Amino acid sequence: GGRGKTTLAKLVYDRIFHHFEVHCFLENVREVSNVDLQKRLLRPMLKEKIEEIWDEERGIIFTKKCLRNKKVLLVLDDVDHKNQLQVRAGKEDWFGRGSRIIITTRNERLLVEHDITLCHNVQVLDKGAALALFSLHAFKKNLPEDGFWALSSYFINYAGGLPLAF
């Protein structure tokens, strides 16, 4: 955790969402029920019929029915169980041509089990890049303010190259 997977996914989403008929960023997938996430994805299309989704199976039926012919951008953030992928993005034919599914997870094995082959491992930043990112968030500048260099460097070392960890 803390390597920037969610941040990177948000940046990609923000840059490309307008190219898709349906777009949805489902954050913290591990913490929210499958049915609630299915409803969030389908609410714009189903509107008042959204209450017809009362379990995962109904959600899957509606997902296939509503999204089969639509170009969809779906981000599944912080996936930690295979079932979460199966319920939200079961098979390629659930979505129309040109659809993209972005998944963030700490467990690469889940992707392998779901036959996902295109992966990007987010690396920890080197000390210079970590210091610059920390400075942007702490001081709104590319470098620490005078008098804060040593403390900022200490923090970067303590955080193990994850400047936004705290």
Side-chain angles (χ1 to χ4, degrees):
R3 289 191 174 194
K5 296 178 294 295
T6 299
T7 302
L8 185 58
K10 282 181 182 177
L11 286 170
V12 171
Y13 179 87
D14 288 344
R15 287 197 179 175
I16 66 172
F17 77 91
H18 60 277
H19 295 290
F20 296 84
E21 294 174 73
V22 176
H23 51 86
C24 187
F25 193 108
L26 297 176
E27 247 180 312
N28 302 316
V29 166
R30 78 161 80 196
E31 298 173 8
V32 183
S33 80
N34 284 337
V35 174
D36 288 342
L37 290 167
Q38 287 170 322
K39 285 181 177 183
R40 274 187 24 208
L41 172 61
L42 296 170
R43 183 167 278 115
M45 287 153 290
L46 293 179
K47 298 183 180 23
E48 59 278 340
K49 292 176 91 178
I50 198 70
E51 294 309 315
E52 292 184 32
I53 298 175
W54 56 77
D55 66 11
E56 290 177 8
E57 279 304 311
R58 293 282 292 174
I60 289 170
I61 291 166
F62 276 99
T63 298
K64 290 178 186 178
K65 184 178 178 182
C66 293
L67 301 177
R68 176 169 279 141
N69 296 314
K70 300 207 183 294
K71 186 176 175 184
V72 176
L73 172 62
L74 175 60
V75 177
L76 301 173
D77 175 54
D78 200 18
V79 174
D80 68 344
H81 285 85
K82 185 177 179 183
N83 177 267
Q84 295 164 335
L85 292 175
Q86 292 169 326
V87 169
R88 286 177 208 82
K91 297 196 165 98
E92 288 181 37
D93 67 348
W94 286 21
F95 308 103
R97 184 179 298 254
S99 293
R100 297 289 179 259
I101 312 300
I102 299 171
I103 301 162
T104 69
T105 183
R106 297 177 187 187
N107 187 347
E108 191 174 345
R109 180 183 48 78
L110 293 174
L111 303 177
V112 172
E113 289 176 3
H114 205 69
D115 296 325
I116 297 169
T117 56
L118 183 59
C119 298
H120 175 75
N121 289 316
V122 178
Q123 303 299 315
V124 175
L125 298 174
D126 64 53
K127 288 186 183 200
L131 184 61
L133 183 58
F134 173 76
S135 297
L136 277 173
H137 282 268
F139 307 111
K140 308 293 186 237
K141 299 178 180 179
N142 289 335
L143 297 171
E145 292 189 2
D146 291 337
F148 288 96
W149 275 88
L151 185 59
S152 297
S153 294
Y154 174 79
F155 176 78
I156 294 303
N157 287 331
Y158 182 78
L162 306 172
L164 306 181
F166 297 101

Coordinates of all heavy atoms in Angstrom, one line a residue, residues 47-81:
K47 N -31.6 4.1 -13.1 CA -32.4 5.1 -12.3 C -33.3 4.5 -11.3 O -32.8 3.9 -10.4 CB -33.1 6.1 -13.3 CG -32.1 6.8 -14.2 CD -32.8 7.7 -15.1 CE -32.0 8.5 -16.0 NZ -30.7 8.1 -16.5
E48 N -34.6 4.7 -11.4 CA -35.5 4.2 -10.4 C -35.6 2.6 -10.3 O -36.0 2.1 -9.4 CB -36.9 4.8 -10.5 CG -37.6 4.5 -11.9 CD -37.2 5.5 -13.0 OE1 -36.6 6.5 -12.7 OE2 -37.4 5.1 -14.1
K49 N -35.2 1.9 -11.4 CA -35.2 0.5 -11.4 C -34.0 -0.1 -10.6 O -33.9 -1.3 -10.5 CB -35.2 0.0 -12.9 CG -36.5 0.3 -13.6 CD -36.3 -0.2 -15.1 CE -36.9 -1.6 -15.2 NZ -36.8 -2.1 -16.5
I50 N -33.2 0.7 -10.1 CA -32.0 0.3 -9.4 C -32.3 -0.7 -8.2 O -31.5 -1.6 -7.9 CB -31.1 1.4 -8.9 CG1 -29.7 1.0 -8.6 CG2 -31.7 2.1 -7.7 CD1 -28.9 0.6 -9.8
E51 N -33.5 -0.5 -7.6 CA -33.9 -1.3 -6.5 C -34.1 -2.8 -6.9 O -34.3 -3.6 -6.0 CB -35.1 -0.7 -5.7 CG -34.7 0.6 -5.1 CD -33.5 0.6 -4.2 OE1 -33.3 -0.4 -3.4 OE2 -32.7 1.5 -4.3
E52 N -34.2 -3.0 -8.2 CA -34.4 -4.4 -8.7 C -33.1 -5.2 -8.5 O -33.1 -6.4 -8.7 CB -34.8 -4.4 -10.1 CG -36.2 -3.9 -10.3 CD -36.7 -4.0 -11.7 OE1 -36.3 -4.9 -12.4 OE2 -37.5 -3.1 -12.1
I53 N -32.0 -4.6 -8.1 CA -30.8 -5.3 -7.8 C -30.7 -5.5 -6.3 O -30.5 -4.6 -5.5 CB -29.5 -4.5 -8.3 CG1 -29.6 -4.3 -9.8 CG2 -28.3 -5.3 -7.9 CD1 -28.5 -3.5 -10.3
W54 N -31.0 -6.7 -5.9 CA -31.0 -7.1 -4.4 C -30.0 -8.1 -4.1 O -29.7 -8.3 -2.9 CB -32.4 -7.5 -4.0 CG -33.0 -8.6 -4.7 CD1 -32.7 -10.0 -4.6 CD2 -34.0 -8.6 -5.7 NE1 -33.4 -10.7 -5.4 CE2 -34.2 -9.9 -6.2 CE3 -34.7 -7.5 -6.3 CZ2 -35.1 -10.2 -7.2 CZ3 -35.6 -7.8 -7.3 CH2 -35.8 -9.2 -7.7
D55 N -29.3 -8.7 -5.1 CA -28.3 -9.7 -4.8 C -27.3 -9.6 -6.0 O -27.5 -9.0 -7.0 CB -28.8 -11.1 -4.5 CG -29.5 -11.7 -5.7 OD1 -29.4 -11.2 -6.8 OD2 -30.1 -12.8 -5.5
E56 N -26.2 -10.3 -5.8 CA -25.1 -10.3 -6.8 C -25.6 -10.9 -8.1 O -25.2 -10.3 -9.2 CB -23.9 -11.2 -6.3 CG -23.1 -10.5 -5.2 CD -22.0 -11.4 -4.6 OE1 -21.7 -12.4 -5.3 OE2 -21.4 -11.0 -3.6
E57 N -26.4 -11.9 -8.1 CA -26.8 -12.5 -9.4 C -27.6 -11.6 -10.2 O -27.5 -11.5 -11.4 CB -27.6 -13.8 -9.1 CG -26.7 -15.0 -8.9 CD -25.7 -15.3 -10.0 OE1 -26.1 -15.3 -11.2 OE2 -24.5 -15.4 -9.7
R58 N -28.6 -10.8 -9.5 CA -29.4 -9.8 -10.3 C -28.5 -8.7 -10.8 O -28.7 -8.2 -11.9 CB -30.4 -9.2 -9.3 CG -31.5 -10.2 -8.9 CD -32.5 -10.4 -9.9 NE -33.3 -9.2 -10.2 CZ -34.3 -9.2 -11.1 NH1 -34.5 -10.2 -11.9 NH2 -34.9 -8.1 -11.3
G59 N -27.5 -8.4 -10.0 CA -26.5 -7.3 -10.5 C -25.7 -7.8 -11.7 O -25.5 -7.0 -12.6
I60 N -25.3 -9.1 -11.7 CA -24.6 -9.6 -12.9 C -25.6 -9.6 -14.1 O -25.2 -9.2 -15.2 CB -24.1 -11.0 -12.6 CG1 -23.0 -11.0 -11.6 CG2 -23.7 -11.7 -13.9 CD1 -22.5 -12.3 -11.1
I61 N -26.8 -10.0 -14.0 CA -27.8 -10.0 -15.1 C -27.9 -8.6 -15.6 O -27.9 -8.4 -16.9 CB -29.1 -10.6 -14.6 CG1 -29.0 -12.1 -14.3 CG2 -30.2 -10.3 -15.6 CD1 -30.1 -12.7 -13.6
F62 N -28.1 -7.6 -14.8 CA -28.3 -6.2 -15.2 C -27.0 -5.7 -15.8 O -27.1 -4.9 -16.8 CB -28.8 -5.3 -14.1 CG -30.3 -5.4 -13.9 CD1 -30.8 -6.2 -12.9 CD2 -31.1 -4.6 -14.7 CE1 -32.2 -6.2 -12.7 CE2 -32.5 -4.7 -14.5 CZ -33.1 -5.5 -13.5
T63 N -25.9 -6.0 -15.3 CA -24.6 -5.5 -15.8 C -24.5 -6.0 -17.3 O -24.2 -5.2 -18.2 CB -23.4 -6.0 -15.0 OG1 -23.5 -5.5 -13.7 CG2 -22.1 -5.6 -15.6
K64 N -24.7 -7.3 -17.5 CA -24.6 -7.9 -18.9 C -25.6 -7.2 -19.8 O -25.3 -6.8 -20.9 CB -24.8 -9.4 -18.8 CG -23.8 -10.2 -18.2 CD -24.2 -11.7 -18.2 CE -23.2 -12.5 -17.5 NZ -23.7 -13.9 -17.5
K65 N -26.8 -7.0 -19.3 CA -27.9 -6.5 -20.1 C -27.7 -5.0 -20.5 O -27.9 -4.6 -21.6 CB -29.2 -6.7 -19.4 CG -30.4 -6.2 -20.1 CD -31.7 -6.5 -19.3 CE -32.9 -6.0 -20.0 NZ -34.1 -6.2 -19.2
C66 N -27.3 -4.2 -19.5 CA -27.1 -2.8 -19.7 C -25.8 -2.4 -20.4 O -25.8 -1.3 -21.1 CB -27.2 -2.1 -18.4 SG -28.8 -2.2 -17.6
L67 N -24.8 -3.1 -20.2 CA -23.5 -2.7 -20.7 C -22.9 -3.5 -21.9 O -21.9 -3.1 -22.4 CB -22.5 -2.7 -19.5 CG -22.8 -1.9 -18.3 CD1 -21.8 -2.1 -17.2 CD2 -23.0 -0.4 -18.7
R68 N -23.6 -4.5 -22.3 CA -23.1 -5.4 -23.4 C -22.7 -4.6 -24.6 O -21.7 -4.9 -25.3 CB -24.1 -6.5 -23.7 CG -23.7 -7.3 -24.9 CD -24.5 -8.5 -25.0 NE -24.1 -9.5 -24.1 CZ -24.9 -10.3 -23.4 NH1 -26.2 -10.3 -23.5 NH2 -24.4 -11.2 -22.5
N69 N -23.5 -3.6 -25.0 CA -23.2 -2.9 -26.2 C -22.7 -1.5 -26.0 O -22.7 -0.6 -26.9 CB -24.5 -2.8 -27.1 CG -25.0 -4.2 -27.5 OD1 -24.2 -5.0 -28.0 ND2 -26.2 -4.5 -27.3
K70 N -22.2 -1.2 -24.8 CA -21.6 0.1 -24.5 C -20.1 0.1 -24.3 O -19.6 -0.9 -23.8 CB -22.3 0.7 -23.2 CG -23.8 0.8 -23.4 CD -24.3 1.9 -22.5 CE -25.8 2.0 -22.5 NZ -26.4 2.4 -23.8
K71 N -19.5 1.1 -24.7 CA -18.1 1.3 -24.5 C -17.9 1.8 -23.1 O -18.3 2.9 -22.8 CB -17.5 2.3 -25.5 CG -16.0 2.4 -25.5 CD -15.5 3.4 -26.6 CE -14.0 3.6 -26.5 NZ -13.6 4.6 -27.5
V72 N -17.3 1.0 -22.2 CA -17.3 1.2 -20.8 C -15.8 1.4 -20.3 O -14.9 0.7 -20.7 CB -17.9 0.0 -20.0 CG1 -17.8 0.2 -18.5 CG2 -19.3 -0.2 -20.5
L73 N -15.6 2.4 -19.4 CA -14.4 2.5 -18.6 C -14.8 2.2 -17.2 O -15.6 2.9 -16.6 CB -13.8 3.9 -18.8 CG -12.6 4.2 -17.8 CD1 -11.4 3.3 -18.2 CD2 -12.2 5.7 -18.0
L74 N -14.2 1.2 -16.6 CA -14.5 0.8 -15.3 C -13.2 0.7 -14.5 O -12.3 -0.1 -15.0 CB -15.2 -0.5 -15.3 CG -15.5 -1.2 -13.9 CD1 -16.3 -0.2 -13.0 CD2 -16.2 -2.5 -14.1
V75 N -13.0 1.4 -13.4 CA -11.9 1.2 -12.5 C -12.3 0.5 -11.3 O -13.3 1.0 -10.6 CB -11.3 2.6 -12.2 CG1 -10.1 2.4 -11.2 CG2 -10.8 3.3 -13.4
L76 N -11.7 -0.6 -11.0 CA -11.9 -1.3 -9.7 C -10.7 -1.1 -8.8 O -9.6 -1.7 -9.1 CB -12.1 -2.8 -10.0 CG -13.3 -3.1 -11.0 CD1 -13.3 -4.6 -11.3 CD2 -14.6 -2.7 -10.4
D77 N -10.8 -0.3 -7.8 CA -9.7 0.1 -7.0 C -9.7 -0.7 -5.7 O -10.7 -0.9 -5.0 CB -9.8 1.6 -6.6 CG -8.8 2.0 -5.7 OD1 -7.6 1.8 -6.0 OD2 -9.1 2.6 -4.6
D78 N -8.5 -1.3 -5.4 CA -8.2 -2.0 -4.2 C -9.0 -3.3 -4.1 O -9.7 -3.6 -3.1 CB -8.5 -1.1 -3.0 CG -7.8 -1.6 -1.7 OD1 -6.9 -2.4 -1.8 OD2 -8.3 -1.2 -0.6
V79 N -8.9 -4.1 -5.1 CA -9.5 -5.4 -5.2 C -8.7 -6.4 -4.4 O -7.5 -6.4 -4.5 CB -9.6 -5.9 -6.7 CG1 -10.1 -7.3 -6.7 CG2 -10.5 -5.0 -7.5
D80 N -9.3 -7.2 -3.5 CA -8.6 -8.2 -2.7 C -9.1 -9.6 -2.8 O -8.6 -10.5 -2.2 CB -8.4 -7.7 -1.3 CG -9.7 -7.7 -0.5 OD1 -10.7 -7.7 -1.1 OD2 -9.6 -7.6 0.7
H81 N -10.2 -9.8 -3.6 CA -10.8 -11.2 -3.7 C -11.2 -11.4 -5.2 O -11.7 -10.5 -5.8 CB -12.0 -11.4 -2.8 CG -11.7 -11.6 -1.4 ND1 -11.5 -10.5 -0.5 CD2 -11.4 -12.7 -0.7 CE1 -11.2 -11.0 0.7 NE2 -11.1 -12.3 0.6

